[in-house]
Amino acid sequence: MPTIILNKEVFEKLVGKKLPLDQLKDRISMLGTDLEKIEGNEIEVEIFPNRPDLLSEQGFARAFSSFIGVKTGLRKYDVKKSGLKVYVDKNIKNIRPYTVCAIIRGLKFDDEKIREIVQVQEKLHTTFCRNRKKAAIGIYPLENIKMPIYFKAMKSKEIKFRPLESEIIMDGLQILSKHPKGRDYAHLLEGLEMFPVFMDSNQEILSLTPIINSHLTGKVTKKTKDIFIEFSGFDLEAQKVGLNMLVTIFAEMGGKIESLEVIYPDKTIVTPNLTPSKMKLDLTYVNKLLGLSLKEKEVKDLLERMGYGYEKEEVLVPAYRVDILHQVDLAEDIAIAYGYENFEETIPNVATIGEENSLEKLQNKIRDILIGLRLLEVKNYHLITNEDLTIKMQSKNKVVALKNSLGEHNHLRNSILPSLLKVLKDNQHNEYPQDIFELGRTFNFDKKEETGVKEEDNLAIMLCHDKSDYTEIKQVLDALISALGLEYKIKESNQNSFISGRAGEIIVQNTKIGMIGEISPEVLELWGLVVPAVALEINLETIFKIIISN
Amino acid sequence: MESIISKLHPLERSVLPVLLKEKEISAIAKLSNLQEIEVMRALQWLENKNVLKINVDKKKIVDLEENGIKYKKEGLPEKRLLQSLTEEFQSLGEIAKKTRLSTEELNACIGILRRKVAIEIDKGKDLMLKLGPQGKKLLKDGSFEEKFLTKDFPLDFDLIQDIDKFAFDELKKRKGLLKIEEKKTTTVTLTELGKKLASTKIDGEVINRLTMGMLKTGSWKGKNFRAYDVEINVPKVYRGKKHFVNEAVEYIKRIWLELGFKEMSGNYVQSAFWDLDALFVPQDHPAREMQDTFYLEGKAKLPKFWEKVKAVHENGANTGSKGWQYTFSKEETEKVLLRTHTTVLSAQTISNLKKEDLPAKFFSVNKVFRNESLDWKHLFEFYQVEGIVIDPNANMKHLKGYLREFYKKMGYPNVRMRPAHFPYTEPSVEVDVYHPIKKQWVELGGAGIFRPEVVKPLLGFECPVLAWGQGMARIIAEYWKITDIRDLYKNDLKQIKEMKAWIK
């Protein structure tokens, strides 16, 4: 999740009140943002992804000021019509179809403000804009631009301009392969023949979006007073709100917002539009969900502390909020304003009956039996290497692989025995006997399953010491099965990883429930083990079904 | 004295009288008719009782090797050569015949005698030798080496006198004659108590181990039992044992059972539909990207009502929500993955409930997966404690109430809730507990009330569902003072055996 760094002085000026440090820390946490730290003049705050409108000093201060009761209620922002136009070419439709734009006039930039703008643009790009995939923002000094502006697609070779941070003019393909920003974002234009650009009426390219602005027409400096903003991408509604977040930040900096007409082949929209949206609020619903009995007046106050307006059962939602989908979102903000710390803790007097999962119960029982036999339970990961599952077990069974594991553990185990052999391998410095067991899940392909993978809980036991032999492991099996009130037979059969003639299938009521035998010296050697081991593995689901049916 | 005697082991009783005569362990063994190892054990016990002191000396010992033994018996070869010589020159061939020395030996001897100026040599066609004046003297007096060999071996290296040093050095240079070994000699010195004890007559007839035979025949009657040192340390035995993580898991499960919750279970391999979409996680949510979630090959089958979920994502459908306002991708929802949270079980459980089942409470303490590289604070699979309360009358206060009750039983009586964000809950809550030792708030996980967009498609109607999902690794690791989280699944058998039980 993104963090932003606030200049404490600027922040306090914007908020309109200076709080003692303790209170400041507490209030930031209770507003619903994670305070990372306050050091000197810097406040570092983590912003949750549902509140991109807080990703700037201005946005955060706006919310905070309302929350602590300094400037509450809906903020009003004036929007004047500029009369200027942006034309959207029909050839952009399948490339990057939407743009929304705005003009801000009368800004006074200094180094600090430029830093703030770069920060907010970058934070919005990585979060709200999904690393520029969903949308991207461009900001240009108005003075170098001849209106109207055109948003269109051009052949990559024909796009020629000097990008920011470059000394030379490049074409579209050169930017993608040579410019640092081009290389970072080249994947966003991969496979396209035509690239999206903004161009002014002097035929000057303002930017190759979503990559980089032109040095000539797209560089904001301390001299810049008026700017043109575009927010372009694939999600028109999100872009509109995103633009509103940006223009209100500039308005908080002292700029005047002007709208312009964005003319699509089939429609014209005027952006930005800062009219708050309206949402019905059911007071009973809110009180029931929160367990409170708030009056309308109280709810109005609480809403205003979260920056909303309230008129006759309707909430006026600021045009920069993206996260209000349902009145439940308003209920949460009411709860935040009320203070999470102020809710009582109660457990309702409702009777329900607790119940443990039956297979888990059986597993606990088996665990008890085996502990009584002085075995030691181990616990391994379900993820393991392919080599451990196949080569080292001399098995050719198909194993379920992960597509994208960051580590070497990139397969799901189909048996617990490899996990136990791994434990033995890692414990050769410890004393013997090493008699261990594990209860856990195994995975195999099965087309009948919803996901194509069948999961079963298994039990595996392994006894390892100088004199371990078939008799010993069969004694354990005997003790276990008879404790479960069942009878079993062993049918001799050769099994992967076992010595042939010393292994068999375990049969209970004519159903195979597992296998038992002496681990073959080849397998022991592959694991680097020099102490004999005997083992069994049992499918618990099968045994559970048999017990239930009895 | 009496109490010492009563506790003496039979071995100690056998050894004690011998100690007045013998001090060295092998001699003690011989005289007491025991094996050295038995004597050693008895001596150690006696030392613990302050009866004697064991001294271990390391000594360098000079001993004969194969040739040394041979020459000691037959005389040194150069002596034999010397004896065969006369004052007339003889050819080497003749000498060889007489002395029966090999060419190699002969050459070596000639070298030695030449250095001693004992012989004269004529290098004609054949090598000729005769006895020199110095040789005669040597024959008469004998060499230093010869004299050295007559000593009793093994010799104490430190006791070799200067006068013998030359001979020793010369012989040491020669092959297979002498060797120097380190030898440990164990001797005992009796303490005052020991001296008294050793000269006391100790009655040998005590019962050491009570046997079946004695009980059957009654032969124990009228005899004394040797008293044991009951404070003595004994070799460790180990119990069979549950894995310690399972001990903790069981404890946590019991808390929820006591609170009237039913256990949920389900698959680790899930579809993106159940793990994410049914929980209203937008399809372009950063957590869904490859680096956070383990994906598998293949396409999952979707339940019949999947299109209801799709509609809720796209426009909110009948939930009163606007939805995420995008086009829902079927391909995305069919992806197969390892569950990233047990909240997937909550979703599945809710989808199986009917109105008459309410109110209902469910929990799970089970594994979830995140695509992380293993390091001291990250695991790719770990436990999550999950709970839901589906109750038409549930509210925020209850959420706080249930969590407080749970954490109280876990040993954390104070719980704090802070605002947070999760795509599937509203209000969303971050749960902190007050750590009584660290004296600070510790973040343990998320909670909240499921959004109507989650509940309505699954349950068919709106109902508040309190929900939480908390990591437990931190609490479990802390109990056993584990700082490297990987040690939870290291399976070091010694460590597992020796760990204390989970007692809260």
Side-chain angles (χ1 to χ4, degrees):
Chain A
M1 272 186 275
T3 60
I4 56 162
I5 293 171
L6 309 167
N7 179 321
K8 189 158 167 267
E9 245 168 65
V10 175
F11 175 72
E12 278 165 347
K13 218 167 119 198
L14 286 164
V15 169
K17 188 174 179 180
K18 214 174 146 172
L19 291 180
L21 196 59
D22 276 358
Q23 263 187 51
L24 180 66
K25 283 181 178 172
D26 174 67
R27 290 295 89 193
I28 288 177
S29 294
M30 296 316 277
L31 171 60
T33 44
D34 249 352
L35 177 66
E36 294 287 320
K37 56 173 184 263
I38 299 184
E39 265 174 23
N41 199 35
E42 273 189 2
I43 307 176
E44 195 179 340
V45 186
E46 189 181 314
I47 305 292
F48 296 126
N50 62 329
R51 293 297 301 271
D53 60 298
L54 302 182
L55 283 170
S56 64
E57 254 144 24
Q58 290 70 25
F60 191 70
R62 174 172 61 200
F64 192 77
S65 175
S66 300
F67 183 58
I68 62 168
V70 180
K71 281 184 242 170
T72 64
L74 193 71
R75 296 271 175 119
K76 294 228 160 56
Y77 298 99
D78 290 330
V79 182
K80 229 174 80 184
K81 280 187 186 156
S82 70
L84 301 175
K85 291 180 172 70
V86 174
Y87 289 95
V88 180
D89 197 294
K90 64 176 186 298
N91 75 358
I92 200 90
K93 198 173 168 205
N94 295 318
I95 294 173
R96 217 167 166 85
Y98 305 114
T99 187
V100 290
C101 310
I103 302 279
I104 310 283
R105 292 191 196 269
L107 285 161
K108 282 193 201 103
F109 280 113
D110 55 23
D111 287 336
E112 178 61 24
K113 283 215 176 83
I114 292 177
R115 182 195 70 83
E116 286 167 27
I117 290 164
V118 170
Q119 168 169 286
V120 67
Q121 200 177 342
E122 188 197 311
K123 299 293 173 187
L124 285 174
H125 271 154
T126 51
T127 59
F128 184 65
C129 300
R130 304 282 191 259
N131 286 319
R132 308 192 187 188
K133 206 163 98 195
K134 184 170 167 179
I137 303 157
I139 299 174
Y140 314 81
L142 197 57
E143 63 254 29
N144 300 336
I145 298 173
K146 183 163 185 232
M147 298 302 276
I149 291 171
Y150 299 88
F151 182 40
K152 60 179 185 177
M154 279 173 73
K155 288 217 172 84
S156 47
K157 273 278 173 200
E158 288 165 11
I159 300 169
K160 286 202 170 86
F161 67 100
R162 178 186 162 193
L164 285 176
E165 297 151 45
S166 166
E167 296 300 319
I168 53 163
I169 293 177
M170 297 180 178
D171 71 26
L173 285 175
Q174 284 169 330
I175 290 175
L176 294 197
S177 59
K178 297 206 174 84
H179 194 277
K181 283 276 181 288
R183 284 201 296 263
D184 286 353
Y185 295 101
H187 61 279
L188 297 176
L189 298 179
E190 212 177 297
L192 294 177
E193 276 170 31
M194 313 264 280
F195 290 171
V197 294
F198 281 88
M199 186 184 262
D200 77 355
S201 294
N202 286 334
Q203 308 293 306
E204 278 297 338
I205 289 176
L206 309 184
S207 71
L208 168 61
T209 182
I211 315 283
I212 189 91
N213 282 8
S214 148
H215 182 84
L216 185 68
T217 51
K219 189 176 168 66
V220 174
T221 65
K222 277 189 253 184
K223 285 184 214 142
T224 308
K225 290 197 172 53
D226 304 335
I227 54 172
F228 165 72
I229 308 174
E230 47 87 8
F231 211 123
S232 311
F234 294 93
D235 188 338
L236 183 59
E237 291 312 310
Q239 286 161 231
K240 283 180 184 168
V241 190
L243 182 69
N244 292 345
M245 288 178 212
L246 273 176
V247 297
T248 56
I249 289 169
F250 284 114
E252 300 284 345
M253 286 181 176
K256 300 267 177 280
I257 307 168
E258 290 184 10
S259 66
L260 29 68
E261 284 174 45
V262 183
I263 300 159
Y264 286 85
D266 55 345
K267 65 184 167 196
T268 295
I269 56 174
V270 177
T271 62
N273 178 0
L274 290 174
T275 320
S277 57
K278 288 180 180 173
M279 186 176 267
K280 270 232 177 281
L281 184 71
D282 177 354
L283 201 60
T284 332
Y285 174 82
V286 173
N287 276 325
K288 193 164 175 296
L289 191 70
L290 302 182
L292 301 174
S293 40
L294 300 169
K295 308 243 159 36
E296 190 175 11
K297 172 75 178 66
E298 289 170 289
V299 167
K300 181 172 184 283
D301 285 350
L302 293 172
L303 282 166
E304 282 173 356
R305 291 251 310 281
M306 297 304 283
Y308 298 96
Y310 182 86
E311 282 167 4
K312 292 179 221 147
E313 291 174 19
E314 269 190 336
V315 179
L316 303 174
V317 181
Y320 51 79
R321 289 287 295 260
V322 276
D323 58 323
I324 309 302
L325 308 181
H326 187 280
Q327 61 168 337
V328 74
D329 296 299
L330 301 173
E332 180 184 64
D333 273 357
I334 291 167
I336 292 173
Y338 180 81
Y340 277 24
E341 69 277 23
N342 296 323
F343 284 88
E344 296 163 41
E345 299 149 2
T346 54
I347 287 202
N349 197 4
V350 175
T352 52
I353 292 161
E355 192 183 314
E356 195 177 15
N357 174 277
S358 346
L359 188 59
E360 289 279 328
K361 273 193 219 167
L362 175 68
Q363 294 199 22
N364 282 336
K365 193 44 82 186
I366 289 173
R367 207 173 262 133
D368 284 345
I369 295 166
L370 297 177
I371 289 166
L373 293 169
R374 286 227 177 152
L375 301 187
L376 212 53
E377 186 182 23
V378 296
K379 209 164 164 64
N380 288 286
Y381 300 118
H382 294 85
L383 302 184
I384 188 169
T385 67
N386 188 31
E387 191 196 359
D388 286 352
L389 288 172
T390 55
I391 299 170
K392 285 187 170 178
M393 299 305 287
Q394 297 197 316
S395 158
K396 292 203 172 74
N397 290 343
K398 276 180 100 187
V399 285
V400 183
L402 300 175
K403 276 210 295 208
N404 62 328
S405 173
L406 286 176
E408 50 166 356
H409 299 79
N410 50 12
H411 287 73
L412 287 164
R413 66 179 179 192
N414 56 3
S415 155
I416 300 180
L417 292 179
S419 303
L420 295 187
L421 282 164
K422 190 171 181 307
V423 171
L424 294 182
K425 178 188 149 232
D426 293 343
N427 276 282
Q428 293 183 82
H429 59 287
N430 282 325
E431 64 176 323
Y432 289 86
Q434 295 183 354
D435 298 343
I436 54 177
F437 74 98
E438 177 166 353
L439 292 151
R441 201 157 285 189
T442 58
F443 305 80
N444 282 291
F445 288 111
D446 185 346
K447 287 213 173 74
K448 283 185 293 233
E449 297 291 320
E450 229 175 62
T451 56
V453 176
K454 187 178 170 90
E455 298 180 25
E456 287 169 308
D457 285 336
N458 276 17
L459 159 71
I461 303 176
M462 198 165 284
L463 311 176
C464 178
H465 56 92
D466 193 27
K467 299 201 168 61
S468 66
D469 62 10
Y470 181 77
T471 306
E472 198 186 1
I473 188 72
K474 202 178 165 194
Q475 285 175 314
V476 171
L477 176 69
D478 222 68
L480 173 66
I481 300 284
S482 61
L484 295 174
L486 300 171
E487 283 170 7
Y488 71 100
K489 275 186 288 205
I490 303 289
K491 191 176 131 211
E492 193 197 319
S493 84
N494 288 343
Q495 305 278 349
N496 290 334
S497 339
F498 291 93
I499 299 178
S500 64
R502 297 190 183 180
E505 292 176 358
I506 306 166
I507 314 279
V508 172
Q509 293 181 12
N510 300 320
T511 314
K512 179 188 166 185
I513 62 155
M515 55 190 177
I516 182 168
E518 293 188 4
I519 301 289
S520 77
E522 288 90 347
V523 167
L524 293 175
E525 196 173 33
L526 285 165
W527 284 92
L529 287 167
V530 291
V531 185
V534 291
L536 65 80
E537 181 154 7
I538 285 177
N539 180 316
L540 293 179
E541 323 256 341
T542 316
I543 237 183
F544 181 67
K545 274 180 211 145
I546 293 171
I547 290 173
I548 295 273
S549 69
N550 288 353
Chain B
M1 189 87 152
E2 281 297 299
S3 95
I4 293 178
I5 291 173
S6 75
K7 285 183 182 170
L8 289 176
H9 188 272
L11 286 178
E12 292 171 298
R13 285 161 196 265
S14 308
V15 165
L16 259 175
V18 174
L19 295 181
L20 286 175
K21 290 181 213 111
E22 294 291 351
K23 303 287 172 225
E24 198 272 323
I25 185 161
S26 55
I28 299 172
K30 230 181 195 169
L31 202 58
S32 60
N33 238 337
L34 294 171
Q35 292 180 350
E36 262 186 47
I37 187 160
E38 292 172 315
V39 173
M40 198 58 218
R41 266 160 68 198
L43 293 179
Q44 273 163 357
W45 295 333
L46 288 168
E47 188 176 40
N48 289 342
K49 291 176 186 140
N50 225 351
V51 170
L52 50 82
K53 247 189 89 48
I54 299 175
N55 318 302
V56 178
D57 273 336
K58 273 188 193 157
K59 261 192 203 160
K60 269 190 181 168
I61 297 289
V62 179
D63 207 351
L64 295 175
E65 282 198 277
E66 197 185 335
N67 286 342
I69 296 166
K70 187 171 145 204
Y71 297 154
K72 187 179 165 88
K73 215 164 78 191
E74 300 173 0
L76 287 161
E78 69 265 30
K79 174 89 176 193
R80 278 158 60 199
L81 174 62
L82 210 53
Q83 280 166 342
S84 73
L85 294 185
T86 61
E87 279 164 69
E88 304 294 323
F89 277 113
Q90 295 177 65
S91 77
L92 202 57
E94 266 175 79
I95 299 169
K97 247 187 225 162
K98 264 201 235 170
T99 55
R100 269 174 286 147
L101 289 171
S102 69
T103 323
E104 198 190 340
E105 278 177 310
L106 271 176
N107 287 336
C109 292
I110 294 169
I112 292 166
L113 293 174
R114 249 172 88 179
R115 256 182 283 133
K116 299 192 185 224
V117 216
I119 50 171
E120 285 173 32
I121 301 172
D122 181 11
K123 285 181 190 165
K125 207 171 101 207
D126 276 333
L127 195 71
M128 306 283 274
L129 302 175
K130 73 169 193 177
L131 200 61
Q134 194 62 27
K136 273 191 225 163
K137 196 166 174 275
L138 203 58
L139 255 177
K140 207 175 105 206
D141 299 346
S143 67
F144 291 118
E145 291 95 320
E146 229 180 300
K147 284 179 196 151
F148 188 79
L149 269 188
T150 59
K151 290 177 185 294
D152 276 341
F153 288 91
L155 274 178
D156 188 337
F157 178 79
D158 294 327
L159 297 181
I160 296 175
Q161 289 170 344
D162 285 349
I163 187 165
D164 291 327
K165 269 272 149 62
F166 166 78
F168 169 74
D169 287 343
E170 282 300 307
L171 291 171
K172 183 76 194 50
K173 275 187 226 155
R174 294 168 67 171
K175 210 174 124 193
L177 261 162
L178 297 179
K179 60 182 172 192
I180 303 179
E181 283 177 331
E182 279 234 312
K183 217 170 196 170
K184 249 174 41 182
T185 52
T186 309
T187 56
V188 296
T189 329
L190 289 171
T191 60
E192 282 309 308
L193 175 68
K195 281 177 195 156
K196 259 196 249 165
L197 199 61
S199 38
T200 313
K201 190 163 167 16
I202 299 166
D203 181 15
E205 270 295 296
V206 287
I207 293 179
N208 189 35
R209 186 178 286 274
L210 184 62
T211 63
M212 268 168 74
M214 291 175 191
L215 288 167
K216 272 185 192 156
T217 58
S219 67
W220 56 274
K221 285 178 187 162
K223 284 185 188 146
N224 290 329
F225 283 84
R226 177 173 73 85
Y228 287 158
D229 176 1
V230 292
E231 285 174 25
I232 202 162
N233 287 330
V234 296
K236 279 194 180 351
V237 288
Y238 294 103
R239 62 199 170 107
K241 212 173 161 206
K242 218 172 268 182
H243 191 273
F244 62 99
V245 171
N246 281 347
E247 270 191 75
V249 166
E250 193 178 294
Y251 180 87
I252 294 167
K253 278 170 62 169
R254 177 134 311 131
I255 295 177
W256 293 115
L257 291 168
E258 282 168 2
L259 289 170
F261 284 67
K262 268 191 188 142
E263 188 173 15
M264 304 185 276
S265 61
N267 286 339
Y268 292 1
V269 180
Q270 294 280 359
S271 59
F273 174 82
W274 279 115
D275 193 77
L276 300 160
D277 291 317
L279 290 162
F280 199 54
V281 178
Q283 291 194 317
D284 66 348
H285 195 278
R288 298 178 74 139
E289 285 183 17
M290 301 292 268
Q291 59 263 36
D292 288 324
T293 305
F294 287 118
Y295 286 96
L296 282 77
E297 296 289 347
K299 250 165 67 170
K301 289 179 203 126
L302 301 176
K304 274 189 197 131
F305 74 100
W306 78 273
E307 276 173 303
K308 281 191 193 165
V309 170
K310 167 184 149 91
V312 171
H313 274 250
E314 289 183 338
N315 54 38
N318 58 356
T319 60
S321 167
K322 290 198 275 187
W324 292 119
Q325 301 285 324
Y326 62 52
T327 312
F328 187 85
S329 152
K330 186 166 184 239
E331 190 191 336
E332 183 65 37
T333 203
E334 283 171 337
K335 282 185 178 166
V336 181
L337 47 76
L338 280 182
R339 69 183 184 204
T340 57
H341 48 191
T342 40
T343 318
V344 64
L345 301 180
S346 297
Q348 286 166 343
T349 302
I350 293 171
S351 77
N352 288 324
L353 287 175
K354 291 184 208 70
K355 223 171 200 143
E356 55 270 28
D357 299 327
L358 307 189
K361 299 188 250 178
F362 294 92
F363 81 97
S364 129
V365 185
N366 223 314
K367 283 282 186 78
V368 299
F369 299 81
R370 299 279 161 89
N371 197 357
E372 303 255 21
S373 296
L374 276 181
D375 66 33
W376 71 277
K377 56 193 283 207
H378 294 100
L379 294 175
F380 50 73
E381 57 173 274
F382 50 91
Y383 275 93
Q384 187 173 324
V385 175
E386 180 82 18
I388 44 171
V389 174
I390 310 106
D391 174 2
N393 297 313
N395 63 45
M396 264 300 256
K397 292 176 175 172
H398 302 165
L399 180 63
K400 216 170 167 180
Y402 284 115
L403 290 171
R404 187 196 145 101
E405 198 56 37
F406 170 68
Y407 282 112
K408 207 163 84 186
K409 286 171 188 266
M410 289 297 292
Y412 302 96
N414 290 316
V415 173
R416 175 172 88 166
M417 303 203 309
R418 279 183 293 122
H421 167 72
F422 308 102
Y424 36 92
T425 51
E426 197 80 7
S428 295
V429 172
E430 192 71 58
V431 182
D432 300 340
V433 296
Y434 192 74
H435 197 292
I437 295 157
K438 290 186 190 154
K439 304 244 178 286
Q440 64 185 30
W441 292 100
V442 180
E443 193 177 308
L444 280 184
I449 303 178
F450 275 155
R451 300 185 63 99
E453 293 96 324
V454 175
V455 178
K456 207 165 175 190
L458 293 174
L459 191 60
F461 54 93
E462 249 189 85
C463 177
V465 177
L466 312 179
W468 50 88
Q470 251 106 59
M472 280 295 127
R474 203 181 209 155
I475 290 182
I476 295 175
E478 195 185 283
Y479 182 80
W480 279 289
K481 302 194 167 53
I482 289 172
T483 46
D484 184 333
I485 202 90
R486 285 169 297 194
D487 287 355
L488 289 176
Y489 304 106
K490 195 170 97 184
N491 292 309
D492 182 294
L493 298 180
K494 184 167 187 283
Q495 181 198 29
I496 291 180
K497 277 183 199 170
E498 289 175 354
M499 264 175 160
K500 65 172 176 177
W502 173 278
I503 304 163
K504 278 257 174 184

